Amino acid sequence: MSSKLDYKNIAASLVNGEPLDYKVYPNGTLAVIAPTGQKFIFIADQVQAEWQKIKPDPKPSAKPPTKRGHPQKSASDTKEVRS
């Protein structure tokens, strides 16, 4: 399991509120004290499944901004007026 999991947000999502406390065990188990004072223990599979539901979407690759308005005129489009 990845060490980059946001356990605080996972715990909050699992107990539907801000947990009073939580602890992550080496085997991936997550013990959470819910806002009501109840203690819940979630196995690693439950923690991973919850992370898949709440994890942030990857940032899209940077695209160059599109220009709006009139297209630029090329040299062949402009006519020089010579006097």
Side-chain angles (χ1 to χ4, degrees):
M1 195 159 43
S2 173
S3 62
K4 295 182 181 181
L5 297 180
D6 185 357
Y7 289 106
K8 185 175 182 179
N9 284 337
I10 294 170
S13 180
L14 286 168
V15 296
N16 296 320
E18 189 70 25
L20 298 176
D21 200 9
Y22 65 93
K23 180 177 180 180
V24 182
Y25 291 92
N27 66 356
T29 301
L30 179 63
V32 182
I33 307 296
T36 60
Q38 294 175 292
K39 181 178 182 179
F40 294 95
I41 297 177
F42 301 97
I43 63 173
D45 290 340
Q46 291 172 308
V47 173
Q48 192 66 33
E50 193 65 25
W51 175 245
Q52 293 300 322
K53 284 195 262 182
I54 67 170
K55 72 179 178 181
D57 294 331
K59 293 181 181 178
S61 61
K63 294 181 182 177
T66 57
K67 294 182 180 180
R68 294 186 175 196
H70 301 290
Q72 290 185 346
K73 295 182 179 179
S74 65
S76 62
D77 291 340
T78 59
K79 296 180 182 176
E80 284 187 31
V81 178
R82 294 184 182 176
S83 329

